[in-house]
């Protein structure tokens, strides 16, 4: 870990000591947004009872947060260029904290939904630009390790959410789940304001029409997938699909004409970027599908309780936490696409073994399979994120970060919807797991295709670093006699 805060001659990014405070601010902000969903899910039954609503309505306490967050990711990524990422990140954290306090004090269900929507807005501001801030904070030689740390934080947050929620509910009531964010978020906002790099704002206008079209497109897509996952009536699914398609057409046409587009479509002309985004999206479909499918498999077909099911899931995030930082270091030293592809091979093998899991299998049989999946995903994600972020100019980091967060959110949601579609079609849970393995195979094919391009870029970057170090050494050598003379 101390390696992340070391300083070498010629490093870009922040100096080593200043990175610590900035990283703590990013870690806290990410943790609060990630933990929120899984932590609140476990409290939904008691919240429904206390607020006097049905379980189906109570689900919207989580759904609304996710829909708003997904819809706002691209908007904040673009706004950060106009306002500066530091200001947008701090504003998002502040809104998240204020809304968390409002959620904790909400007297009724309707008021709680309003504050949950505001929390989704704040979470979108932090999640959309977090990865791009790592690129500004750390030198390029440590970027893979830094993104490995980011993956560890996300995995740890997802894993710890249910445990934190259960622990709090064992000694207090549900409003304290929201109140916990107030001191943590306040501290993170203060640190972020002090430590995050200051940068110049872009001159120009904001693509308001593109922002509205983007929000409608992503919200419509999310609601359509949610409707499929919950086996809603066909008319409802088609209505949300129509909203998504019309908004998407309007959004794409606008991006081609806007002077300062919300999402510069030229990013996707870079094959390395497009392939990294495609690999990420298809891999997250597989992970999102598997998480839901395994819940049904363990509880309905294998007879495990909810507590035992949660225990059977733990190897997945725990191995990501172990492998993620190592994967990041490997991505700094070798071709990231090769490392990511090896991870996808492991993930594919793990998913195939889960799809073939017999119903009378022991807990050990399941644990090593989920551990293999987690290790594979942990080996894939940091190198792929590094490839995605470094394949575009640094000035476009915020846009790339927004695409990364949006792809992750949409991929996971699509995976959930595919489980619902499989169940609605009469297919079994294990057939759904085979679909997850197929999407992971597609991700692997995409990742293998990009290896030659990534290798050329990797070699060029290494040569550039060597030339820069040689130039720096020569300048230091030339300056030394002059400095000695000046001192004399």
């Amino acid at each position: 870990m101390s390696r992340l805060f070391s300083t070498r001659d010629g490093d870009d990014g922040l100096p080593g000591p200043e990175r610590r405070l900035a990283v703590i601010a990013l870690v806290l902000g990410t943790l609060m947004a990630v933990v929120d969903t899984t932590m609140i899910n476990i409290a939904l039954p008691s919240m429904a009872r206390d607020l006097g609503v049905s379980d189906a309505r109570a689900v919207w306490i989580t759904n609304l947060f996710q829909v708003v967050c997904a819809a706002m990711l691209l908007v904040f990524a673009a706004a950060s260029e106009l306002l500066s990422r530091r200001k947008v990140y701090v504003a998002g954290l502040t809104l998240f904290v204020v809304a968390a306090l409002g959620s904790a004090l909400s007297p009724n269900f309707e008021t709680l939904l309003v504050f949950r929507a505001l929390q989704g807005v704040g979470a979108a501001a932090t999640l959309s630009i977090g990865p791009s801030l790592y690129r500004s904070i750390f030198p390029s030689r440590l970027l893979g390790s830094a993104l490995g740390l980011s993956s560890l934080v996300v995995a740890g947050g997802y894993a710890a959410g249910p445990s934190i929620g259960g622990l709090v509910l064992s000694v207090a009531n549900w409003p304290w789940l929201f109140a916990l964010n107030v001191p943590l978020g306040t501290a993170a906002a203060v640190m972020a304001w002090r430590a995050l790099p200051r940068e110049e704002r872009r001159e120009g206008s904001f693509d308001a029409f593109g922002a509205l079209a983007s929000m409608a497109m992503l919200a419509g897509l999310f609601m359509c997938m949610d409707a499929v996952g919950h086996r809603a009536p066909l008319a409802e699914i088609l209505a949300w699909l129509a909203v998504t398609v019309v908004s998407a057409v309007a959004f794409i046409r606008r991006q081609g004409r806007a002077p300062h587009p919300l999402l510069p479509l030229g990013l996707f002309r870079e094959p390395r970027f497009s392939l990294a985004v495609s690999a990420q999206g298809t891999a997250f479909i597989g992970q999102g599908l598997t998480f839901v499918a395994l819940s049904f498999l363990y509880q309905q077909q294998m007879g495990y309780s909810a507590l035992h099911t949660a225990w059977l899931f733990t190897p997945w995030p725990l191995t990501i936490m172990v492998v993620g930082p190592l994967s990041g270091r490997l991505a700094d030293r070798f071709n990231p696409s090769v490392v990511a592809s090896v991870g996808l091979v492991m993930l594919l093998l793990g998913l195939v073994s889960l799809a073939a899991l017999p119903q009378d299998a022991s807990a050990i049989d399941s644990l090593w399979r989920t551990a293999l999946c987690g290790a594979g995903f942990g080996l894939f994600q940091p190198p792929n994120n590094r490839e995605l972020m470094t394949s575009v100019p640094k000035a476009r980091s915020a846009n790339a970060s927004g695409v990364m967060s949006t792809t992750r959110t949409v991929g996971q949601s699509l995976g959930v919807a595919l489980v619902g579609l499989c169940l609605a079609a009469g297919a079994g849970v294990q057939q759904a797991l085979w679909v997850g393995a197929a999407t992971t195979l597609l991700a692997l094919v995409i990742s293998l295709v990009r290896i030659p391009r990534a290798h050329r870029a990797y070699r060029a970057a290494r040569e550039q670093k060597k030339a820069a170090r040689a130039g720096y050494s020569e300048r230091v050598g030339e300056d030394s006699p002059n400095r000695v003379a000046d001192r004399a």
Side-chain angles (χ1 to χ4, degrees):
M1 186 66 72
S2 59
R3 174 175 170 269
L4 287 173
F5 307 107
S6 62
T7 303
R8 290 183 183 175
D9 293 335
D11 271 351
D12 51 343
L14 296 177
E18 295 181 22
R19 290 177 213 149
R20 293 182 185 274
L21 199 60
V23 167
I24 293 174
L26 290 180
V27 166
L28 286 176
T30 301
L31 271 178
M32 287 190 301
V34 169
V35 167
D36 185 276
T37 301
T38 54
M39 180 175 67
I40 298 303
N41 277 344
I42 201 169
L44 289 179
S46 59
M47 295 170 79
R49 182 183 63 250
D50 292 350
L51 295 170
V53 298
S54 65
D55 290 345
R57 291 191 71 195
V59 169
W60 276 98
I61 297 172
T62 296
N63 280 358
L64 188 59
F65 173 88
Q66 293 178 322
V67 170
V68 172
C69 182
M72 297 296 293
L73 287 169
L74 289 178
V75 174
F76 279 118
S80 68
E81 291 187 331
L82 196 62
L83 303 173
S84 86
R85 286 176 294 180
R86 173 170 164 266
K87 290 181 179 179
V88 168
Y89 192 87
V90 172
L93 270 178
T94 303
L95 179 60
F96 187 90
V97 170
V98 172
L101 181 60
S103 298
L105 300 176
S106 294
N108 53 56
F109 179 69
E110 291 74 16
T111 305
L112 177 58
L113 287 184
V114 171
F115 283 112
R116 287 295 286 163
L118 291 175
Q119 273 194 287
V121 174
T126 59
L127 293 176
S128 64
I129 58 177
S132 70
L133 284 168
Y134 278 97
R135 189 175 181 184
S136 298
I137 291 168
F138 287 91
S140 54
R141 65 182 177 87
L142 295 174
L143 184 58
S145 298
L147 292 174
L149 174 63
S150 177
S151 301
L152 184 152
V153 170
V154 172
Y158 278 120
S163 300
I164 294 173
L167 182 62
V168 172
L169 292 176
S170 67
V171 296
N173 52 15
W174 61 263
W176 284 99
L177 296 175
F178 299 108
L180 281 176
N181 290 315
V182 176
L184 292 176
T186 302
V190 172
M191 286 187 285
W193 184 256
R194 290 183 56 189
L196 292 183
R198 290 162 171 77
E199 54 195 6
E200 295 182 1
R201 298 187 299 175
R202 171 179 63 79
E203 297 296 332
S205 59
F206 180 72
D207 184 14
F209 181 84
L212 291 174
S214 167
M215 288 187 285
M217 174 182 66
L218 292 171
L221 178 61
F222 196 96
M223 294 301 296
C224 180
M225 291 187 294
D226 183 70
V228 171
H230 288 89
R231 286 176 278 184
L234 180 61
E236 180 182 341
I237 296 173
L238 292 177
W240 285 119
L241 181 61
V243 171
T244 303
V245 172
V246 171
S247 302
V249 171
F251 176 73
I252 293 172
R253 293 186 63 181
R254 173 63 180 176
Q255 298 314 289
R257 299 196 303 262
H260 296 285
L262 191 80
L263 176 61
L265 298 181
L267 289 175
F268 296 95
R269 296 193 190 101
E270 169 52 57
R272 289 172 55 213
F273 178 80
S274 298
L275 291 170
V277 169
S278 301
Q280 182 195 48
T282 47
F284 268 101
I285 289 173
Q287 179 182 254
L289 182 151
T290 305
F291 271 32
V292 177
L294 286 181
S295 297
F296 284 100
L297 178 67
Y298 290 149
Q299 294 183 60
Q300 294 186 357
Q301 296 189 18
M302 300 179 70
Y304 288 107
S305 67
L307 182 62
H308 280 92
T309 297
W311 178 70
L312 290 172
F313 268 112
T314 52
W316 193 305
L318 288 179
T319 47
I320 291 179
M321 293 172 64
V322 173
V323 175
L326 173 62
S327 173
R329 295 189 67 173
L330 291 174
D332 287 329
R333 299 183 59 185
F334 305 103
N335 183 342
S337 294
V338 174
V339 181
S341 298
V342 173
L344 286 173
V345 170
M346 295 172 62
L347 176 61
L348 177 61
L349 292 175
L351 290 179
V352 168
S353 67
L354 282 172
L357 184 69
Q359 292 188 14
D360 59 349
S362 66
I364 297 298
D365 289 331
S366 177
L367 289 173
W368 72 259
R369 288 169 165 85
T370 51
L372 180 60
C373 289
F377 202 85
L379 196 62
F380 159 75
Q381 194 176 2
N384 190 74
N385 289 352
R386 190 187 198 284
E387 178 71 2
L388 190 155
M389 292 299 300
T390 57
S391 62
V392 300
K394 206 164 189 177
R396 293 298 185 191
S397 293
N399 297 115
S401 179
V403 172
M404 179 193 297
S405 300
T406 303
T407 305
R408 179 180 65 234
T409 304
V410 171
Q412 288 177 324
S413 301
L414 184 57
V416 174
L418 284 174
V419 176
L421 190 61
C422 289
L423 295 177
V429 174
Q430 287 181 297
Q431 281 71 28
L433 287 171
W434 283 111
V435 174
T439 62
T440 304
L441 177 61
L442 177 58
L444 175 59
V445 171
I446 294 170
S447 189
L448 292 173
V449 167
R450 63 181 171 165
I451 286 179
R453 295 179 183 273
H455 182 65
R456 288 193 293 269
Y458 176 73
R459 285 199 308 175
R462 287 181 64 90
E463 294 299 324
Q464 189 176 6
K465 286 180 184 178
K466 289 180 181 178
R469 288 176 184 171
Y472 180 84
S473 300
E474 290 177 4
R475 289 196 302 273
V476 171
E478 292 172 358
D479 289 346
S480 295
N482 295 330
R483 291 178 182 172
V484 172
D486 290 341
R487 289 174 185 168

